[in-house]
Amino acid sequence: MAAARPTARTAPQTNAPWADAQTTAGTGAPTTATRTDAQTAADRTDAQTAAVRTGPQTTAGTGAPTTAGRAGAETEVAQMTGAHAGAELTAAPTVVRRVRLRRDAGCEAAPAGARTVRLVAPTGSLNLPDLSAGAREAVAALAFGEQTEDELGALVAARDGETGLLRWQLAFRRIGMAGMLETSVHLVTEAADEPLARLRPIGRGAALPGPVPDPTRQVKLSRFATAAAEDGALLVRAPGSALAVELGTGAAGLLPALAGWTSPAALAQLPGGLTLDAVRQILRLFDVAGLLAYGSAGQEPETDERRFAQWSALDLMFHSRTRRPSTVAGYGGTYRFGDRFAPEPASPPPFTGEKVAPAVPDLAALARTDKPLTEVLEQRRSVRDHDEQSPLTVDQLGELLYRTMRRRQTFTGGDRQEHADRPYPSGGAVHELEVYPLVTQCAGLRPGLWHYATDRHELELVAEPGPATAALVSGARESALMTTDPQVVLLVTARFGRVMWKYETVAYPLILKHVGVLYQTLYLVGTAMDLAVCGLGGGDAADFATASGLDFLTEGTVGELVVGSRPMTLRQDVGVPRREPKR
């Protein structure tokens, strides 16, 4: 079974960009001696930067600077010294929009005299050929820290003049369309510079905000949006989007206010809330990240339309995240934990309880006497009845497990991971699944929770019968619609680290695929052996953790089947196969 193709994970270079005649070698910061006042925007002191950013030319949403705006900025910078700079600060809060390279991206060093810059991120790279000196300095400023678009324009204009601005705007848009930019909204006052929200590219795709929303348009938070703490920040995401919004404390209060229908104007009226300009700028980021729903009370597409209504937020996030590689940074065999943890061995440590070795079946004899595959496929069905007068035997259970689960060989791959070979397929040959027979009635094997050692063809006792095992049996009986306890419940677990050490994003869905192929293998072998097999749709991993003593996050149940001896006569109220009409 072929696993997901790995996404190339290129380790980004340091954010310090190339060094040329205008930069200090190894620092990425332009030297003071070769720069004009307008070219030092990235290196201004905090007080100077705050003063410039509160000016009219740096208000969010202004885009490229006008000639008058740039001249004003240069004049302000030239005039700023000590107390005079403090006098320039305005008391009124100003909303400022800034940009920078995404935090996991960097600039690759260009050879001396080269005009091409290469931006590198885990999701890919972008070549920017034939950049002017001013444009290269603007990209360096983006890598150095957050800048307003006006400040970037001033850098370009100071080196390239007015004619270089249009080419810079085209290059800037390319950077944004490639998903290489983060856009942030700040509230700047005389005393502080507070980040309210930041648009962060997580996967591949454009990362440029659209227009600000209409102040009166009805809007609310999408019911599919999820919020989680990541890297010390509150990150809000929507299924299928390659973008996320990182919220600061000053804007986090918008989330509960957006739970119902509202408008930007109404949000700006909240006690102690944000200005209308700030709200619209934040919602602008929400919109491009897919976090907003539009409509009104009584007209809600996310609940009225079947294609939306049938999904829960977590199910849709799981589906979108694992089936749309563009929405994540790493997808497939990225070995993201390869430098932190050693790979887990193919076999788990043995349990210390009683050992029982079932007979080894003669596969050559079975190959001559087994039913043909087509006959087995046509006879396969879920059987929920067990023959209480002639229960399953330990050798029958052993044969079923030997033919479906045994480990035929191991080998070490080039990634240092010990791989395995079993009768059913497994992505990357990781074979993380284990089977724990929970026995209530099996000739030759006493009741209790057992583990099948795939490398030794041996059953080892894990736990005696108790309240936790009783809960597992009861849950299986109810799920299978049985009137009596099943003779054996096969509890399928996953040793999650076997898969998650190598695979990113697709690890858990890969485990579920393995559960599916194991189900079918058990069904077909059980049918060939005339056993009663019935796969279950769910179970309680917490009960298994209690019964086995295993850590829920290290190894937990991901599937269950009931197995027993097949009676001569079956009930006709459940599990009856449909009869196809003859053609």
Side-chain angles (χ1 to χ4, degrees):
M1 180 179 181
R5 181 183 301 173
T7 299
R9 182 183 285 276
T10 305
Q13 303 293 324
T14 174
N15 272 346
W18 58 93
D20 60 16
Q22 302 300 322
T23 61
T24 301
T27 66
T31 60
T32 304
T34 58
R35 298 179 59 184
T36 66
D37 287 341
Q39 291 169 321
T40 59
D43 303 321
R44 295 187 185 114
T45 64
D46 291 342
Q48 291 172 330
T49 301
V52 172
R53 285 171 176 164
T54 55
Q57 71 279 8
T58 60
T59 300
T62 58
T66 63
T67 303
R70 282 191 303 278
E74 294 171 7
T75 302
E76 265 193 306
V77 173
Q79 292 176 345
M80 279 185 189
T81 56
H84 183 70
E88 292 287 324
L89 291 171
T90 59
T94 305
V95 179
V96 178
R97 183 162 60 90
R98 302 190 185 122
V99 290
R100 58 159 294 162
L101 284 187
R102 59 187 289 173
R103 64 196 60 194
D104 55 0
C107 301
E108 284 194 344
R115 294 166 60 89
T116 296
V117 175
R118 187 167 184 258
L119 305 180
V120 181
T123 53
S125 61
L126 173 67
N127 288 324
L128 298 170
D130 197 29
L131 288 183
S132 65
R136 292 199 302 274
E137 188 167 348
V139 176
L142 285 171
F144 189 73
E146 291 186 324
Q147 313 293 326
T148 67
E149 292 184 38
D150 286 346
E151 290 167 343
L152 295 171
L155 290 173
V156 174
R159 294 295 298 275
D160 304 333
E162 296 291 329
T163 57
L165 284 175
L166 179 57
R167 294 187 63 188
W168 163 245
Q169 289 297 328
L170 295 175
F172 179 79
R173 181 167 179 79
R174 282 196 64 200
I175 297 171
M177 292 301 293
M180 292 288 184
L181 290 179
E182 293 185 5
T183 301
S184 58
V185 175
H186 294 246
L187 189 65
V188 178
T189 65
E190 185 174 346
D193 184 337
E194 179 186 6
L196 297 176
R198 178 174 283 106
L199 183 67
R200 285 179 50 184
I202 304 298
R204 299 189 302 276
L208 289 174
V212 292
D214 186 297
T216 61
R217 187 176 185 185
Q218 290 294 291
V219 65
K220 73 174 180 177
L221 192 68
S222 168
R223 74 178 185 88
F224 300 116
T226 58
E230 295 185 26
D231 300 325
L234 180 64
L235 218 60
V236 190
R237 297 199 63 182
S241 176
L243 304 173
V245 173
E246 179 182 302
L247 283 184
T249 55
L254 289 178
L255 289 181
L258 281 165
W261 290 112
T262 184
S263 67
L267 292 172
Q269 299 300 314
L270 294 174
L274 301 167
T275 65
L276 179 59
D277 187 20
V279 169
R280 294 178 74 195
Q281 291 296 336
I282 295 168
L283 293 187
R284 183 188 195 194
L285 306 187
F286 272 44
D287 182 66
V288 73
L291 297 173
L292 298 180
Y294 296 97
S296 61
Q299 294 182 344
E300 305 192 29
E302 288 188 341
T303 55
D304 295 341
E305 295 183 24
R306 177 174 178 172
R307 66 193 186 105
F308 295 125
Q310 63 190 359
W311 288 96
S312 71
L314 293 180
D315 284 345
L316 186 55
M317 179 62 80
F318 180 77
H319 175 58
S320 299
R321 175 178 169 83
T322 58
R323 300 303 305 174
R324 296 187 66 175
S326 63
T327 65
V328 293
Y331 189 92
T334 62
Y335 297 96
R336 59 175 173 155
F337 296 120
D339 59 347
R340 295 179 57 191
F341 308 109
E344 293 188 6
S347 296
F351 289 91
T352 59
E354 174 187 348
K355 305 291 192 294
V356 173
V360 176
D362 186 342
L363 295 182
L366 289 171
R368 294 190 297 270
T369 59
D370 257 352
K371 301 174 183 177
L373 177 61
T374 299
E375 183 179 345
V376 170
L377 283 169
E378 292 302 310
Q379 289 183 356
R380 187 222 57 80
R381 58 178 291 187
S382 293
V383 178
R384 297 165 170 85
D385 296 336
H386 294 169
D387 188 349
E388 297 183 21
Q389 304 305 315
S390 181
L392 186 74
T393 69
V394 65
D395 285 342
Q396 286 177 311
L397 177 60
E399 178 182 335
L400 176 66
L401 296 174
Y402 186 88
R403 295 175 67 176
T404 58
M405 280 290 295
R406 83 182 185 284
R407 197 175 77 190
R408 297 186 290 208
Q409 65 172 324
T410 59
F411 55 96
T412 302
D415 56 6
R416 300 181 292 114
Q417 189 173 30
E418 186 180 19
H419 302 300
D421 174 53
R422 292 180 183 173
Y424 67 89
S426 175
V430 294
H431 281 292
E432 78 289 354
L433 300 184
E434 302 287 328
V435 167
Y436 291 76
L438 177 54
V439 175
T440 61
Q441 190 179 18
C442 180
L445 193 64
R446 62 191 181 94
L449 178 64
W450 298 76
H451 171 252
Y452 177 63
T454 61
D455 57 336
R456 306 187 305 276
H457 185 55
E458 192 172 64
L459 291 165
E460 44 193 16
L461 185 64
V462 177
E464 301 283 356
T469 61
L472 290 168
V473 172
S474 175
R477 182 183 67 243
E478 294 174 3
S479 182
L481 304 178
M482 298 179 68
T483 57
T484 58
D485 287 347
Q487 293 175 1
V488 176
V489 181
L490 297 182
L491 299 163
V492 182
T493 71
R495 296 167 61 214
F496 301 115
R498 286 281 295 168
V499 182
M500 294 176 179
W501 181 82
K502 174 180 179 179
Y503 293 106
E504 185 174 358
T505 302
V506 298
Y508 196 76
L510 187 60
I511 290 171
L512 299 183
K513 291 179 175 69
H514 296 163
V515 173
V517 296
L518 177 59
Y519 266 41
Q520 177 72 333
T521 305
L522 286 164
Y523 260 117
L524 296 182
V525 173
T527 300
M529 293 176 60
D530 287 324
L531 300 179
V533 181
C534 180
L536 307 182
D540 195 324
D543 282 343
F544 173 79
T546 301
S548 65
L550 296 174
D551 177 58
F552 176 89
L553 299 177
T554 302
E555 180 178 352
T557 49
V558 288
E560 295 85 9
L561 303 93
V562 295
V563 178
S565 56
R566 183 179 178 128
M568 295 295 294
T569 303
L570 302 179
R571 286 184 297 149
Q572 297 301 304
D573 57 342
V574 292
V576 179
R578 287 191 292 265
R579 302 298 181 186
E580 296 183 16
K582 293 184 178 181
R583 301 179 180 178

